[in-house]
Amino acid sequence: MPTLWLDEIGADDLERVGGKAASLGELTGAGLPVPSAFVVTADTYRSFIEATGIDEPLFEAVDVDSDDSQALAEAAERAQELILETDTPPSVREDLLAAYDEMGDEDVAVRSSATAEDLPDASFAGQQDTYLNVSRTDLLQRVKECWASLFTQRAIYYRNENDFAHDAVDIAVVVQQMVDAEKSGVMFTSHPSTGGPTAIIEAAWGLGEAVVSGAVSPDNYIIDRETGTIDEVTVADKKVMCVRGEDGETIERSVPEEKRNERVLSDEEIHRLLEVGERVEDHYDTPQDVEWAVYEGEVYLLQSRPITTIDDPEGSAGSANEAESQPPGAKSGVADGGAMESQSDAVRLSGIGSAPGRVTGVVRIVDKLDNLDKVEDGDIIVAEMTTPDMVPAMKRANGIITDEGGMTSHAAIVSRELGVPAVVGAEDATQKLRDGETVTLDGDKGTVEKGTKVPETSDEQEDAGPVEAHSAVKPMTGTEVKVNVSIPEAAERAAATGADGVGLLRIEHMILSTDKTPSRYVEDHGERAYVDEIVEGVRSVAEAFYPRPVRVRTLDAPSDEFRQLQGGEDEPSEHNPMLGYRGIRRSLDRPGEFKLELRAFERLYDLGYDNVELMLPLVTDAEDILRAKALMQEVGIDPEKRDWGVMVETPASALSIEDICEAGIDFVSFGTNDLTQYTLAVDRNNGNVADRFDELHPAVLELMRQVIGTCREHDVATSICGQAASKPQMVDFLVDEGVTSISPNIDAVRDVQHEVKRVEQRLLLESVR
Ligand code: PEP
Ligand code: MG
């Protein structure tokens, strides 16, 4: 049968109908309100390509070196053309149209449902494979477009990179009654962190895409399922909504003024949703994350998946800061401030606590030349300073201690992103600690103690009550809260924070980890390989976040970091690298190298990563930006079509903001690490003046205030991605001033979300008092 109705399908039919359809079939079978649909099975796709004889040319066409962008583009075009231009066999056509007529001859939604379970479908079916408002005339073409979505450049590239055979992946298509939702959202049927009987509903106007993609901050409702009481109602300022466009695509529109701050769900609707949610949870016998819509007063279920964030009841509530009892040698995250019994001497060393958590492990002293293999799971790395080639060992380690470095050093950034507790700047750790001894490190307090610290299994811990503000529920905020990423290895972890995107992806680590300067790398391996190195690193982050935006910054490493690499002897030796040859200055001085970076962006866009945004570092004025823009155009990037912007890190750029806005940028992002050092004349790497490094200094804040004001007038978004984004006072200041987004480090995302919410609520209250 080319098609099956949802009531003929269950969870066991995954291979025939794909994950999306199998789940909808299962819900329909359980009597839940799912919009009616039929599925064009995977067998139908397979017999289409076989019966028409296009299977062989199709798989031949995509058998290319996907690192060859030209070949990849041609392969995708050829494969899609084969599918789109081949007629469907008459029997399939008749069956599809008959099923369409049976559903009621109304416009439908057509969605692909991929069958390779172990591949995330977004990765290879793309996000464009949903068509709304499809008429009878267009049905067959849309189904074929879903089939063809198996062969986008991004999908081919992804399968090649992951060694998945192209002919082992099939695709089914769901043809479903349109639910032209008036309101929609998601619901956790139980508490997503504890699994307790608390339901959480998020709701916004229009189609659900706005909520799922994070384009809008939805209303948030918390319901006690035991008593049925609605405990908390947070009404968000809902600026945008998704609606059906004339051509059937989903378009974003402003919410009419009077509805922006109106509550989306009535008490009655909440209770109806809850009842449906409870039935889904009962059916699967496990808490569910449900997508729902309300259409003509009826509640519909669009999708349901098990909640995967619920913690093991024996374990902790999930945050690195929370109580957890673990034997020495295993990764642990023992609570700071929790009841502890020390078997150790007093504090042996102190430094800067740069990645939170308290851990115990065996010391392994390493330097760059050492064999890193000696670091085993659960060890504590002790080094003068970490380098990019230590990252694999850092991932295995329980903790990291370095002699040198501050909060923005390599060790601090990488350990935070990997979630490995760290103390940096501990001065003589490599001298004072002995290889093989056991120590306990506290990444919050910045201390290192000898021996093992075990948590007391006392009542005190239970009495301490629930850990506040670290729940897995993302607080809904009008100001976006993004996350910074510096190593691609941290992509999944960063994406799992629920951040609204990446506010800063540094590419320096991708280059430095090759251990070669850009020019040496190109000399040794060629330009293509250099571009690939960047594409590969950025791609994994863009993929993990898709479709959330990822702001990728072009190269900004000071010459002293390049000097340590192979080829470093050709780099300038500078008296003060912080004021020297770095950021956009270096890029404009070396347009050849810079254009290779830009080509990597162009390649990512071609691969379908339209969520990638380009950001230029350390600009002085509009002149820098216009020169960079011309180079972007030279490599084929259309600045009108892509989102791009600049870091505001110099007082000059802050004071030239009017001209900078007029250069055509979409956003600015405050790099407060640099903005502070240049405003206060305090070298961020100089310990002698470290006590003068104050991002909250009134002079720094005044520059930021002016920039936000001017950018608002020019409709340019504003953001912060410096270390100060994690500071509550900075968050308060920026939300008050009307910043668009805040991008802290991974470990601070949840706290910043709560802080932003608190300030927004205060502002809301003040406005009505
Ligand atoms: C900054 O200067 O604040 C910033 C985010 O950039 P970096 O730390 O990479 O210089
Ligand atoms: Mg900077």
Side-chain angles (χ1 to χ4, degrees):
M1 278 295 282
T3 59
L4 289 173
W5 290 94
L6 284 188
D7 58 11
E8 299 172 281
I9 297 169
D12 297 339
D13 295 308
L14 201 88
E15 291 232 328
R16 278 200 299 171
V17 301
K20 207 174 282 167
S23 146
L24 291 174
E26 185 69 21
L27 294 170
T28 306
L32 287 151
V34 175
S36 116
F38 64 87
V39 182
V40 186
T41 62
D43 291 344
T44 308
Y45 157 75
R46 181 57 62 165
S47 63
F48 160 71
I49 57 168
E50 286 173 1
T52 55
I54 61 167
D55 53 342
E56 274 184 27
L58 185 65
F59 298 126
E60 239 161 61
V62 294
D63 184 17
V64 290
D65 170 8
S66 52
D67 285 333
D68 179 343
S69 46
Q70 182 71 24
L72 183 63
E74 281 165 14
E77 197 181 336
R78 170 83 185 119
Q80 297 196 27
E81 196 180 72
L82 276 169
I83 293 179
L84 296 175
E85 289 180 4
T86 303
D87 282 339
T88 355
S91 60
V92 173
R93 199 173 328 143
E94 278 159 27
D95 195 80
L96 249 74
L97 292 175
Y100 176 93
D101 292 338
E102 198 178 326
M103 207 151 64
D105 192 17
E106 294 225 342
D107 287 359
V108 290
V110 177
R111 300 191 163 88
S112 62
S113 178
T115 62
E117 236 186 312
D118 30 11
L119 289 178
D121 36 352
S123 297
F124 74 108
Q127 298 282 327
Q128 291 81 5
D129 56 344
T130 288
Y131 303 96
L132 304 178
N133 208 14
V134 178
S135 67
R136 191 176 196 277
T137 331
D138 294 336
L139 179 65
L140 286 165
Q141 190 60 19
R142 293 304 195 199
V143 169
K144 284 204 287 185
E145 282 171 28
C146 282
W147 290 343
S149 75
L150 269 184
F151 297 98
T152 60
Q153 287 192 47
R154 190 171 148 217
I156 300 170
Y157 184 82
Y158 186 88
R159 283 197 297 272
N160 281 355
E161 290 297 302
N162 292 286
D163 289 332
F164 276 91
H166 292 289
D167 59 0
V169 182
D170 283 339
I171 191 162
V173 180
V174 181
V175 179
Q176 191 166 33
Q177 178 198 344
M178 280 294 300
V179 175
D180 205 359
E182 291 124 30
K183 35 183 102 170
S184 52
V186 295
M187 161 170 49
F188 293 111
T189 59
S190 290
H191 194 287
S193 174
T194 62
T198 302
I200 295 166
I201 302 177
E202 292 176 349
W205 303 114
L207 304 172
E209 277 84 346
V211 179
V212 176
S213 72
V216 68
S217 286
D219 286 1
N220 185 272
Y221 308 90
I222 300 182
I223 308 108
D224 180 337
R225 274 176 48 190
E226 277 172 351
T227 59
T229 328
I230 301 170
D231 280 344
E232 218 180 296
V233 174
T234 310
V235 180
D237 179 6
K238 298 166 286 292
K239 296 194 181 79
V240 292
M241 64 196 285
C242 284
V243 294
R244 249 185 333 166
E246 285 195 354
D247 296 329
E249 79 290 17
T250 308
I251 53 170
E252 218 173 271
R253 230 189 33 205
S254 300
V255 172
E257 199 58 38
E258 68 283 4
K259 285 180 89 172
R260 272 177 55 162
N261 290 300
E262 191 185 307
R263 182 174 148 172
V264 174
L265 292 177
S266 65
D267 284 4
E268 200 221 319
E269 285 170 323
I270 290 173
H271 286 118
R272 280 202 345 252
L273 265 170
L274 193 65
E275 190 223 305
V276 172
E278 286 184 334
R279 281 168 57 202
V280 184
E281 180 169 318
D282 284 350
H283 176 73
Y284 285 112
D285 203 21
T286 180
Q288 297 287 303
D289 169 357
V290 173
E291 280 175 37
W292 57 266
V294 171
Y295 172 52
E296 294 183 340
E298 295 295 323
V299 168
Y300 288 95
L301 278 185
L302 304 181
Q303 207 174 107
S304 182
R305 317 177 194 87
I307 301 177
T308 51
T309 52
I310 295 175
D311 293 310
D312 172 358
E314 307 291 311
S316 75
S319 153
N321 286 341
E322 293 162 12
E324 188 177 2
S325 164
Q326 297 243 358
K331 285 223 190 232
S332 86
V334 177
D336 51 321
M340 303 292 295
E341 184 187 64
S342 174
Q343 296 176 346
S344 72
D345 300 332
V347 170
R348 298 223 18 214
L349 283 171
S350 57
I352 305 166
S354 60
R358 188 181 179 87
V359 283
T360 294
V362 174
V363 166
R364 297 290 170 213
I365 299 184
V366 294
D367 64 40
K368 202 178 168 192
L369 305 173
D370 252 337
N371 183 356
L372 289 164
D373 291 348
K374 82 176 188 183
V375 178
E376 291 179 3
D377 283 357
D379 285 347
I380 305 258
I381 293 182
V382 180
E384 270 179 26
M385 188 53 204
T386 62
T387 53
D389 44 13
M390 289 186 189
V391 171
M394 291 168 81
K395 279 203 238 170
R396 293 196 293 275
N398 230 16
I400 293 155
I401 304 169
T402 62
D403 290 352
E404 297 163 10
M407 282 302 268
T408 54
S409 61
H410 177 266
I413 290 171
V414 173
S415 53
R416 267 197 303 271
E417 292 194 3
L418 295 175
V420 180
V423 175
V424 300
E427 293 193 347
D428 40 12
T430 48
Q431 304 302 318
K432 281 200 176 155
L433 299 175
R434 284 189 323 279
D435 216 47
E437 76 171 315
T438 298
V439 295
T440 298
L441 163 171
D442 188 320
D444 293 278
K445 295 192 188 120
T447 56
V448 180
E449 291 160 81
K450 196 175 169 194
T452 304
K453 289 220 149 196
V454 290
E456 260 181 23
T457 50
S458 72
D459 299 338
E460 261 180 83
Q461 246 178 20
E462 279 153 35
D463 291 344
V467 185
E468 213 239 332
H470 285 276
S471 74
V473 191
K474 177 185 167 193
M476 286 307 139
T477 59
T479 312
E480 291 174 336
V481 180
K482 299 185 177 177
V483 62
N484 291 348
V485 177
S486 297
I487 51 169
E489 289 88 338
E492 296 293 339
R493 208 173 152 257
T497 60
D500 295 315
V502 174
L504 167 63
L505 170 59
R506 293 180 168 98
I507 66 166
E508 291 77 52
H509 295 263
M510 298 170 203
I511 310 293
L512 296 176
S513 61
T514 67
D515 203 29
K516 294 183 179 177
T517 60
S519 46
R520 174 59 58 85
Y521 192 94
V522 171
E523 235 173 78
D524 290 354
H525 310 279
E527 295 187 343
R528 254 264 307 282
Y530 182 69
V531 174
D532 288 348
E533 202 63 63
I534 302 172
V535 168
E536 198 40 45
V538 175
R539 191 195 62 81
S540 54
V541 182
E543 180 69 45
F545 276 82
Y546 199 88
R548 290 176 277 174
V550 174
R551 232 163 240 183
V552 184
R553 187 178 71 181
T554 58
L555 199 56
D556 180 15
S559 55
D560 53 335
E561 289 190 17
F562 283 132
R563 281 183 66 81
Q564 298 168 18
L565 308 176
Q566 292 175 45
E569 60 282 4
D570 300 330
E571 290 288 321
S573 166
E574 297 184 297
H575 187 56
N576 189 341
M578 278 300 173
L579 290 173
Y581 197 54
R582 55 173 288 216
I584 199 68
R585 309 163 178 192
R586 178 189 172 101
S587 299
L588 293 174
D589 194 49
R590 298 185 175 210
E593 263 172 38
F594 184 48
K595 279 204 260 179
L596 296 180
E597 288 172 50
L598 297 175
R599 268 173 45 196
F601 281 86
E602 185 52 12
R603 174 99 184 280
L604 286 154
Y605 298 141
D606 280 349
L607 284 169
Y609 293 103
D610 48 10
N611 58 333
V612 166
E613 302 179 351
L614 188 152
M615 180 156 71
L616 304 169
L618 214 75
V619 299
T620 305
D621 48 32
E623 173 67 23
D624 278 346
I625 299 164
L626 293 172
R627 286 175 62 196
K629 188 175 171 184
L631 293 170
M632 282 160 65
Q633 284 162 321
E634 267 182 45
V635 303
I637 298 175
D638 180 354
E640 301 300 320
K641 199 165 138 210
R642 304 294 174 193
D643 272 354
W644 65 289
V646 300
M647 305 267 297
V648 168
E649 302 179 278
T650 62
S653 62
L655 296 168
S656 318
I657 194 64
E658 186 98 41
D659 291 344
I660 286 181
C661 287
E662 280 162 11
I665 54 167
D666 298 294
F667 60 83
V668 303
S669 186
F670 294 111
T672 40
N673 307 336
D674 281 318
L675 186 61
T676 305
Q677 82 166 341
Y678 300 131
T679 306
L680 306 180
V682 174
D683 180 341
R684 60 195 262 196
N685 285 345
N686 185 339
N688 294 325
V689 285
D691 59 338
R692 287 181 161 266
F693 189 87
D694 176 14
E695 299 114 318
L696 297 164
H697 191 286
V700 179
L701 297 185
E702 183 52 33
L703 287 172
M704 296 171 82
R705 189 194 322 274
Q706 288 177 23
V707 170
I708 294 175
T710 309
C711 285
R712 283 168 69 107
E713 283 165 22
H714 288 265
D715 213 13
V716 167
T718 47
S719 184
I720 177 174
C721 58
Q723 183 63 29
S726 308
K727 294 193 168 174
Q729 302 96 312
M730 182 58 91
V731 172
D732 295 5
F733 166 77
L734 289 172
V735 176
D736 251 333
E737 292 297 322
V739 80
T740 320
S741 65
I742 294 183
S743 188
N745 302 318
I746 295 183
D747 55 290
V749 170
R750 192 42 51 91
D751 285 346
V752 170
Q753 287 167 337
H754 281 279
E755 186 63 20
V756 169
K757 181 172 175 182
R758 203 183 59 73
V759 183
E760 288 180 349
Q761 282 177 336
R762 172 174 59 72
L763 291 174
L764 213 69
L765 270 178
E766 279 170 11
S767 72
V768 293
R769 272 183 185 144

